[in-house]
Amino acid sequence: MKTVAIVGSQWGDEGKGKVIDFLATQADVVIRAQGGNNAGHTIVVDGKKFALRLIPSGILNPNTINVIGNGIVFDPKGFFEELEMLQSNGIDTKNIKISDRAHIIFPYHKELDGLAEEARGDNKIGTTKRGIGPCYMDKTERSGIRICDLMDKDVFAKKLKGQVEAKNKLVKGVYDKEEDMFNFDEIYSEFMAYAEKLRPFVADTTVIVYDAIKAGKKVLFEGAQGTLLDLDLGTYPFVTSSHPISGGFAVGAGVGPNMIKDVVGIVKAYTTRVGEGPFVTELDNEIGEEIRIKGCEFGTVTGRSRRCGWFDAVIVRYAARVNGLTSISLMLLDVLTGFDKIQVCTAYKMGDKIIKDFPASLEDLAKCEPIYEELEGWTEDITSVERFEDLPENAKKYIARIEELIGVNVDLVSVGPNRAQTIIRKNVFDN
Ligand code: GDP
Ligand code: IMO
Ligand code: MG
């Protein structure tokens, strides 16, 4: 079986889009199984940059089928904007399939996302305000509206009417709005226009993915967000509302867990996070600022500046365990060039206790101090290195130490944003 899950192993933005695009040149199917257009996956090919949110990162390969799976929360407006962006760049978009089971994000979900954040005040999560949480709330509450509903105008009208009424009651009752905020007719006509444009893309994608796997085709599961943003295993409540871990992909793609063979952890050579919540190795100083500038660490979706810190082996060890990582792709190694010394956090200290396993309690996490090991840096420009052997000795030592601390091999090293700036030690599809 040639199926590989690509998982964010930190707080998202590890470079998943780049790896998917790189591997998609060999893949038959790429499937997104969770999240929505809160994701921002950057691909750079021959210096040209594409920022994808909802459409899978295999789209630049005309022969790859790109699937938006049942676990996705689907924003039609965002989808068509992205589609037009790709088409205006001459990209062939005919190979996109959208699950008839995916839930739809409506304007009220986006408004409610903003209102909930406002109401949280100092405890805000720092969401992307794309309506992700409120849409998944409707899904779990069992009042969500799915793509298959949108395909039937009567079913859709009935369900939407009920939801618009419910959401108007909610904003008046909970958020003290005096007037109705949402208008059925407006939303209905906007979405009926999407329905006809969407119809050619809609399919039972579980069949497409199953048949491809059974036929021995190469299938990539494209994770969005990252392990520490997982609803169960992340830094709750500062998480997203889906399951970005490998286990979530089986549910969100509609395949059995035994159909995902390898799990590649996408790992930044340091750590970043957007949004709120504790971050043990955060560097709120000139080193953090240097990493931010060198790594262009500003959000693809919201433009917010990302918080930066040293590599945290406690986090990545945890990610290796909860995802069952079989391989690591180490990203943005070039950003560490020029630092005299590089710190790696090997464990935490909480009072007089040494913590090696990532804690559940955020109160505990906030009390943790990083225990650092210092490694020698390198000054050579590595952005055009093509073979692992040609990396500076200290860069190789850094990678070897990470492998030792995590217990998983680094099979891919990324030394720049371009597709070509990728060093392969072992091809994942050769397993
Ligand atoms: P994703 O959400 O995991 O797909 O990651 P993002 O695209 O949000 O963020 C990763 C950023 O790093 C993007 O701007 C990429 O173009 C960039 N990038 C990826 N790999 C490398 C690398 O090896 N070196 C550098 N300098 N940038 C990289
Ligand atoms: P990619 O796929 C980084 C963060 C938000 C916020 C929290 C909840 O590009 O790695 P949400 O809008 O999902 O309810 O926000 O999750 N977040 C991400 N951070 N990368 C992402 O995606 C993210 N998607 C959501 O910043 O802290
Ligand atoms: Mg991103």
Side-chain angles (χ1 to χ4, degrees), residues 95 105 410:
N95 280 337
I105 297 180
V410 172

Side-chain angles (χ1 to χ4, degrees), residues 11-14 16 38-41 113 125-130 132-133 223-226 229 238-241 273-276 300 304:
W11 271 296
D13 303 326
E14 299 91 347
K16 299 175 291 293
N38 49 348
H41 294 181
D113 200 346
I125 295 166
T127 75
T128 58
K129 302 205 176 126
R130 292 293 187 279
I132 306 295
Q225 291 79 51
L229 291 170
F238 300 103
V239 293
T240 192
S241 300
R273 116 167 269 189
V274 266
E276 310 300 316
T300 318
R304 287 179 292 178

Side-chain angles (χ1 to χ4, degrees), residues 154 160 182 188 194 222 255 263 330:
D154 298 330
L160 183 67
F182 312 111
Y188 182 75
Y194 297 141
E222 175 175 2
V255 299
V263 184
L330 190 68

Side-chain angles (χ1 to χ4, degrees), residues 151-402:
M151 294 298 109
D152 180 325
K153 69 178 187 352
D154 298 330
V155 171
F156 179 60
K158 190 162 165 253
K159 292 199 171 182
L160 183 67
K161 202 162 220 123
Q163 279 309 296
V164 169
E165 272 170 26
K167 297 308 188 247
N168 277 329
K169 270 193 204 153
L170 179 70
V171 292
K172 287 197 236 163
V174 175
Y175 295 109
D176 297 330
K177 300 283 171 197
E178 291 186 356
E179 306 279 325
D180 282 352
M181 275 183 84
F182 312 111
N183 179 290
F184 169 80
D185 292 330
E186 271 172 29
I187 302 177
Y188 182 75
S189 57
E190 181 187 347
F191 279 71
M192 281 320 290
Y194 297 141
E196 285 327 299
K197 291 204 297 178
L198 281 173
R199 202 175 291 280
F201 296 105
V202 176
D204 182 346
T205 54
T206 62
V207 175
I208 296 172
V209 178
Y210 183 84
D211 287 351
I213 296 173
K214 281 287 168 193
K217 300 219 165 131
K218 294 181 179 138
V219 177
L220 291 171
F221 296 80
E222 175 175 2
Q225 291 79 51
T227 302
L228 291 188
L229 291 170
D230 185 274
L231 188 57
D232 271 40
L233 293 150
T235 44
Y236 190 89
F238 300 103
V239 293
T240 192
S241 300
S242 70
H243 293 291
I245 55 164
S246 59
F249 302 171
V251 180
V255 299
N258 56 348
M259 285 198 149
I260 302 178
K261 182 170 175 283
D262 288 296
V263 184
V264 177
I266 311 302
V267 176
K268 246 178 204 176
Y270 48 95
T271 314
T272 62
R273 116 167 269 189
V274 266
E276 310 300 316
F279 177 173
V280 177
T281 63
E282 182 165 16
L283 294 163
D284 199 6
N285 57 20
E286 66 287 356
I287 300 176
E289 190 55 26
E290 196 176 336
I291 293 177
R292 186 173 304 120
I293 305 268
K294 280 165 124 183
C296 301
E297 293 294 358
F298 300 91
T300 318
V301 175
T302 56
R304 287 179 292 178
S305 85
R306 295 178 183 149
R307 300 156 65 191
C308 298
W310 293 121
F311 184 84
D312 184 335
V314 181
I315 291 176
V316 181
R317 240 183 347 247
Y318 177 64
R321 175 158 55 82
V322 301
N323 289 292
L325 297 188
T326 53
S327 169
I328 284 176
S329 295
L330 190 68
M331 312 303 289
L332 294 110
L333 188 65
D334 53 300
V335 174
L336 294 183
T337 300
F339 285 102
D340 193 26
K341 307 278 182 199
I342 300 173
Q343 314 291 330
V344 170
C345 170
T346 56
Y348 302 154
K349 196 167 183 317
M350 190 174 72
D352 49 13
K353 271 214 290 229
I354 304 293
I355 310 258
K356 291 203 163 170
D357 294 318
F358 196 75
S361 152
L362 289 205
E363 284 67 31
D364 285 353
L365 193 61
K367 286 186 222 138
C368 286
E369 297 287 334
I371 300 176
Y372 282 126
E373 180 178 306
E374 189 169 87
L375 278 83
E376 296 297 320
W378 61 91
T379 51
E380 299 91 328
D381 179 4
I382 60 170
T383 54
S384 5
V385 172
E386 291 175 0
R387 296 182 322 154
F388 185 77
E389 303 78 74
D390 299 334
L391 284 171
E393 279 315 306
N394 285 344
K396 282 192 246 177
K397 281 188 192 155
Y398 185 68
I399 295 168
R401 187 65 185 127
I402 287 177

